[in-house]
Amino acid sequence: MNKTSKRALSLALAAGIGFAATAALSAETLQDVLKRRNLSQQDLLAAAKTYVPTGKRDEFVAFSSGGQSGQVIVYAVPSMRILKYIGVFTPEPWQGYGYDENSKAVLAQGKIDGKDITWGDTHHPAISETNGEYDGQFLFINDKANPRIAVIDLRDFETKQIVVNPIFKSEHGGAFVSPNTEYIIEAAQYAAPLENKKFFPLEEFNEKYRGGVTYWKFDRKEGRIKPGESFSLELPPYSQDLSDFGKGPSDGWSFTNSFCSERYVGGIEKGRPPYEAGCSAKDTDYLHVINWKKAAEVVKAGKAKKINGHNVIMMDTAIKEGILFLVPEPKSPHGVDVSPDGKFMIVSGKLDTHVSVYSFEKIQAAIKAGKFESKDPYGIPVIGLKDAVHVQVPLGLGPLHTQYDSKPCIAYTSLYVDSQVAKWNYCEGKVLDKLSVHYNIGHLMTMEGDSTKPKGKYLVALNKLAIDRFVPVGPLHPQNHQLIDISNDKMQLLYDMPLPLGEPHYVVAIEATKLKPGVRYKVGTDSRTDKPHPGAVRAGEERTEKKGNKVTVYGTLIRSHITPETIEADVGDEVTIHLTNLERAQDETHGFTVSTYNTHASVEPGKTVTVKFKADKEGVYPYYCTEFCSALHLEMQGYLLVKPKGWKPTKTTLAKGNYTEADYKATVKKVADTQAIIDSVVAYITSVNYKDFPDVVAMVEDAFDQLGKTKGLKEKHEAFAAKKDWENANLWAEQIWQYQVKTADLGLRAKTYLEQNGAKKIK
Ligand code: CUK
Ligand code: CUA
């Protein structure tokens, strides 16, 4: 019997209720539940494999693309519980993303030709790597629609940077990182002229339209992409698809597959066969094989051309320098996934039943021997398929993407048309197992499954259609992420998770212990630049300045008040409000908004955020804290007073509350009684080994911090009482009680934690 049930028992006995009676009232056996809910033993097994009891944590954290939502969705494996949405290309009000000035500055980096683009079509997230293993420091994600890439810092899960691709009009083959995150790759999809705002008719497609691949240089120390040190390769106007970096023996090389090497231009409205026919007519397309380390040297040697201010290695240079090769791939290929040992590249043929396993060793041998079967129309050497392929394996209909197991040679490939996952051996070319999924799987993902050290255990199938899996919610269905146990020979389907925010193309998952996010910022930090915020102030330094028609507030937030509690402006003034959250306690976030001015800030402990607007409407606008941060959260408020032109006050005093001496005495008694409770809680906490629990130590510090704010208030209310000013005497005494309530709240939380986590008496 554990401690809690022992305690429950003793309480029950104390209350005079027999144990048998309690059991009869509460207990339903496992068999009862299985029967009542119509569950099988298999269901029970699946539940046991995914259930994470309260107080325990998941083993892996998954970062899912948010598809058309332009965001990232963070969820945990195996419970499949959603932990967070991260605003990336799209404003996200909860985080104030796009509603405060600091995050607006990040979104503004994603403007194209001066225009705001407030959505994104996110496809492929990538976690930063060290020696080919996930290191949990940064996350990158691309926007296919408007060729952009974003950098998210995993210390605070915030978007820090958006960079716009200077030469593409779309971008699908990113983000994928090199084994030490020196570069992030991004390949175009829909060919277009590389020079900005250049018009060429579709009749000049073959001559003037181009594809390409961009290598973004990443500065890990600064946590930012360096556009000036990045470069691209001009590629033929094939539809470049996905990419992957080589590793181990293939480190220094990257691979980008393609489709529509027919270079077909549709025109169904003019009676031409549509794109889908023209772009899949040939039996093969091309895998691009690129020596990126050598390409970086070519750029350093000044052999790149500047297009739109960006370094581009033109195709003829790439051919001459021997850094670009093609290999045929059957048929309308999709996905290219390098094996953990870096020896093989696996490409699926969407319209073929096969996957092709390319051998890096064979590709290198052909290049060294100068053994090419032909050249493409742009003069790029083409290596023969048979000279590059290790094995081709028939897996099923519509193979798309491949991920790897922790066991050598084992891979999993999604079969879109068959709605299945195939488990197979890519060294020997043998199919091992198949599992049906629901329905039409796109990507799939194993734990750290595209790194050099996949962790096995689980696989998530990212199904495009859910159809009948969930309670219907109208014609637009959620996506269905299905969790699959891959730890045994046979795969077992465990769980269906609806994902109701766009179409997530890809997910990456990392061991939870590798993530080391912070719980607070250094006081006064602008979280979007990671630098001290110029508007930050400490307690007691709050002020409001007015210069001409500019009102600037340097304010603070702490349970449960906003300083200042009134902001005055004249109509037409520009109002800038800097707010610093002075809390040190974990999870004590305050929010801030002003009625009808379309601003919102999420101010986590230590952060400083700015909101700014033109007070263009005279009137009275409440502002308040938007996070339920404390018992008196609803009282965390103030007024923005926007005065009309030439306004003069007629009344100069605020209404009084008519408090009496009796009110004051009652408050003083309440304060004394509450102090007694606090003292008893403190006595308990200090009687046990609370210092062994860091979370409790933080709570205790915070509690004393709250209590410390009562300093000087006793003298204050007593001085007013001596003058018989019962209003001020009573309210200052009330303020002491407010701090006591917060102290008691924390103390009780700490006490409960200690009781539940087995704290021991020290005396
Ligand atoms: S693509 Cu979506 S299923 Cu954008 Cu990675 Cu293959
Ligand atoms: Cu601060 Cu509610």
Side-chain angles (χ1 to χ4, degrees):
M1 198 184 297
N2 65 32
K3 235 190 188 154
T4 330
S5 49
K6 237 186 218 162
R7 193 158 161 258
L9 175 61
S10 60
L11 283 174
L13 289 173
I17 306 164
F19 180 67
T22 333
L25 280 177
S26 65
E28 201 182 5
T29 67
L30 193 54
Q31 288 308 323
D32 294 339
V33 177
L34 292 185
K35 209 170 139 201
R36 177 167 59 80
R37 300 202 61 220
N38 197 17
L39 301 174
S40 66
Q41 288 292 329
Q42 189 72 357
D43 294 333
L44 184 64
L45 187 62
K49 285 182 180 185
T50 56
Y51 181 63
V52 177
T54 181
K56 295 223 168 118
R57 291 182 185 175
D58 280 280
E59 204 178 340
F60 295 95
V61 175
F63 295 89
S64 172
S65 136
Q68 303 92 328
S69 73
Q71 300 180 357
V72 163
I73 305 160
V74 186
Y75 63 79
V77 175
S79 73
M80 306 300 270
R81 294 179 295 192
I82 292 179
L83 301 174
K84 197 170 214 175
Y85 296 112
I86 305 174
V88 184
F89 296 108
T90 309
E92 201 297 305
W94 170 44
Q95 294 148 76
Y97 191 62
Y99 301 90
D100 70 58
E101 293 305 303
N102 310 91
S103 60
K104 275 186 198 168
V106 176
L107 278 165
Q109 296 168 16
K111 286 187 181 198
I112 298 183
D113 300 328
K115 279 204 200 84
D116 283 326
I117 297 178
T118 54
W119 86 291
D121 186 11
T122 55
H123 275 236
H124 307 109
I127 294 173
S128 56
E129 294 179 7
T130 302
N131 297 323
E133 287 187 62
Y134 289 180
D135 58 32
Q137 293 180 6
F138 297 95
L139 183 79
F140 310 96
I141 191 154
N142 71 321
D143 170 11
K144 174 177 169 177
N146 321 286
R148 300 181 294 178
I149 208 149
V151 179
I152 296 155
D153 193 326
L154 294 179
R155 284 177 304 180
D156 60 0
F157 287 49
E158 281 200 355
T159 303
K160 305 287 175 167
Q161 184 185 27
I162 295 174
V163 286
V164 177
N165 193 294
I167 56 169
F168 298 157
K169 296 290 172 287
S170 64
E171 177 265 288
H172 189 202
F176 301 94
V177 301
S178 59
N180 280 303
T181 323
E182 304 97 328
Y183 287 96
I184 305 140
I185 204 168
E186 193 185 43
Q189 176 156 0
Y190 305 108
L194 298 183
E195 280 169 60
N196 278 338
K197 295 179 201 157
K198 269 265 167 83
F199 173 78
F200 294 104
L202 286 166
E203 285 72 13
E204 294 178 48
F205 190 86
N206 292 355
E207 300 79 35
K208 300 293 190 194
Y209 288 55
R210 288 292 178 265
V213 59
T214 299
Y215 298 84
W216 289 110
K217 177 84 184 132
F218 186 64
D219 182 331
R220 194 188 281 266
K221 244 209 201 132
E222 277 198 35
R224 299 292 185 275
I225 285 170
K226 300 267 161 176
E229 295 166 39
S230 306
F231 66 92
S232 297
L233 245 73
E234 178 201 30
L235 293 178
Y238 312 145
S239 294
Q240 277 82 32
D241 191 45
L242 298 200
S243 309
D244 202 0
F245 272 101
K247 46 193 142 199
S250 55
D251 186 21
W253 293 73
S254 68
F255 310 90
T256 299
N257 75 306
S258 68
F259 57 93
C260 203
S261 59
E262 292 86 350
R263 296 176 292 165
Y264 183 72
V265 175
I268 195 170
E269 69 290 345
K270 295 174 191 149
R272 278 173 66 77
Y275 274 106
E276 65 173 311
C279 277
S280 58
K282 280 192 354 182
D283 280 339
T284 54
D285 291 287
Y286 291 121
L287 175 68
H288 301 72
V289 176
I290 297 166
N291 186 338
W292 65 264
K293 279 207 175 146
K294 204 161 164 198
E297 285 163 24
V298 167
V299 175
K300 265 214 186 107
K303 293 177 194 167
K305 188 177 155 183
K306 288 268 181 202
I307 300 180
N308 309 327
H310 171 74
N311 288 315
V312 182
I313 303 176
M314 304 309 281
M315 275 190 286
D316 49 359
T317 309
I319 296 164
K320 206 162 67 200
E321 298 285 338
I323 56 180
L324 173 61
F325 306 91
L326 300 173
V327 191
E329 355 165 77
K331 159 150 196 165
S332 296
H334 193 44
V336 50
D337 297 283
V338 177
S339 62
D341 60 11
K343 290 183 184 166
F344 302 106
M345 293 81 226
I346 295 178
V347 175
S348 297
K350 290 193 297 268
L351 300 182
D352 193 28
T353 55
H354 288 83
V355 285
S356 303
V357 182
Y358 293 89
S359 154
F360 183 71
E361 206 180 309
K362 285 191 172 182
I363 290 174
Q364 286 306 300
I367 292 171
K368 277 207 190 91
K371 194 178 177 206
F372 303 113
E373 68 171 19
S374 62
K375 284 180 177 171
D376 87 332
Y378 300 90
I380 307 170
V382 180
I383 300 163
L385 184 59
K386 61 178 185 327
D387 295 327
V389 146
H390 164 67
V391 63
Q392 286 184 299
V393 190
L395 290 185
L397 295 180
L400 295 184
H401 297 286
T402 297
Q403 288 266 296
Y404 298 94
D405 203 332
S406 52
K407 297 165 200 125
C409 296
I410 305 297
Y412 302 85
T413 297
S414 51
L415 304 173
Y416 179 86
V417 178
D418 276 342
S419 289
Q420 284 188 320
V421 172
K423 175 180 181 177
W424 57 292
N425 182 311
Y426 58 90
C427 301
E428 294 163 20
K430 261 197 334 226
V431 179
L432 303 171
D433 187 27
K434 282 193 185 180
L435 182 78
S436 291
V437 293
H438 313 87
Y439 300 90
N440 297 89
I441 178 175
H443 276 271
L444 76 184
M445 180 270 292
T446 55
M447 305 300 104
E448 305 196 10
D450 59 8
S451 72
T452 52
K453 295 246 168 60
K455 299 292 180 278
K457 296 189 178 182
Y458 305 103
L459 180 151
V460 176
L462 283 69
N463 304 313
K464 300 294 182 191
L465 308 189
I467 306 184
D468 57 1
R469 291 292 105 173
F470 306 113
V471 174
V473 288
L476 179 62
H477 292 239
Q479 294 261 315
N480 184 12
H481 282 201
Q482 283 183 310
L483 182 71
I484 295 163
D485 179 359
I486 55 166
S487 48
N488 303 300
D489 289 345
K490 288 265 163 216
M491 296 180 274
Q492 187 196 353
L493 182 56
L494 299 179
Y495 192 79
D496 286 19
M497 175 173 70
L499 216 57
L501 199 79
E503 182 199 329
H505 286 257
Y506 188 40
V507 187
V508 285
I510 181 171
E511 279 178 328
T513 50
K514 284 189 182 174
L515 295 170
K516 305 263 184 289
V519 295
R520 64 180 73 85
Y521 294 96
K522 191 163 179 246
V523 180
T525 302
D526 174 345
S527 67
R528 301 292 170 175
T529 60
D530 303 320
K531 300 209 166 91
H533 191 299
V537 287
R538 301 199 170 242
E541 297 172 356
E542 299 92 344
R543 64 188 192 276
T544 300
E545 289 172 358
K546 170 137 187 171
K547 280 188 195 131
N549 61 352
K550 287 192 165 64
V551 176
T552 309
V553 177
Y554 298 84
T556 60
L557 305 166
I558 195 156
R559 278 160 289 165
S560 311
H561 43 262
I562 302 168
T563 308
E565 297 191 335
T566 336
I567 300 171
E568 292 180 42
D570 297 309
V571 69
D573 283 354
E574 183 189 279
V575 178
T576 305
I577 306 169
H578 307 296
L579 292 166
T580 301
N581 183 343
L582 298 174
E583 305 281 355
R584 305 304 299 138
Q586 185 162 326
D587 206 8
E588 278 300 343
T589 294
H590 300 287
F592 180 81
T593 189
V594 184
S595 166
T596 74
Y597 277 99
N598 198 35
T599 62
H600 183 236
S602 171
V603 200
E604 296 90 56
K607 199 191 231 185
T608 301
V609 183
T610 301
V611 297
K612 191 173 165 180
F613 53 90
K614 194 169 176 205
D616 52 3
K617 311 173 289 177
E618 64 180 55
V620 173
Y621 304 95
Y623 53 84
Y624 68 96
C625 168
T626 61
E627 280 267 343
F628 209 111
C629 52
S630 54
L632 271 295
H633 148 78
L634 292 171
E635 288 74 2
M636 198 167 167
Q637 62 173 346
Y639 281 105
L640 166 71
L641 305 166
V642 183
K643 295 175 281 184
K645 284 229 155 60
W647 181 83
K648 289 259 159 18
T650 48
K651 189 167 183 283
T652 52
T653 51
L654 291 168
K656 291 225 173 197
N658 294 323
Y659 294 105
T660 62
E661 183 174 7
D663 294 325
Y664 171 64
K665 286 203 165 135
T667 306
V668 170
K669 177 164 188 314
K670 183 167 75 176
V671 166
D673 293 348
T674 309
Q675 191 56 47
I677 296 172
I678 293 172
D679 292 344
S680 76
V681 173
V682 169
Y684 166 78
I685 292 173
T686 52
S687 75
V688 299
N689 58 334
Y690 82 95
K691 287 189 177 148
D692 296 339
F693 301 87
D695 284 343
V696 173
V697 171
M699 280 188 250
V700 168
E701 267 172 28
D702 188 30
F704 281 113
D705 190 46
Q706 289 293 336
L707 203 59
K709 293 185 200 308
T710 60
K711 203 170 156 247
L713 294 184
K714 186 164 185 276
E715 292 73 12
K716 215 167 181 169
H717 71 70
E718 284 172 354
F720 279 114
K723 286 188 275 175
K724 297 197 187 315
D725 179 343
W726 303 121
E727 162 130 351
N728 271 307
N730 184 45
L731 293 183
W732 283 116
E734 279 287 350
Q735 183 57 49
I736 295 180
W737 190 67
Q738 288 314 323
Y739 288 123
Q740 285 181 320
V741 167
K742 287 169 226 166
T743 308
D745 173 32
L746 285 156
L748 290 169
R749 216 186 296 163
K751 184 168 176 258
T752 310
Y753 185 104
L754 290 168
E755 285 167 351
Q756 289 180 351
N757 288 279
K760 289 190 201 71
K761 284 267 171 219
I762 50 172
K763 294 171 215 161

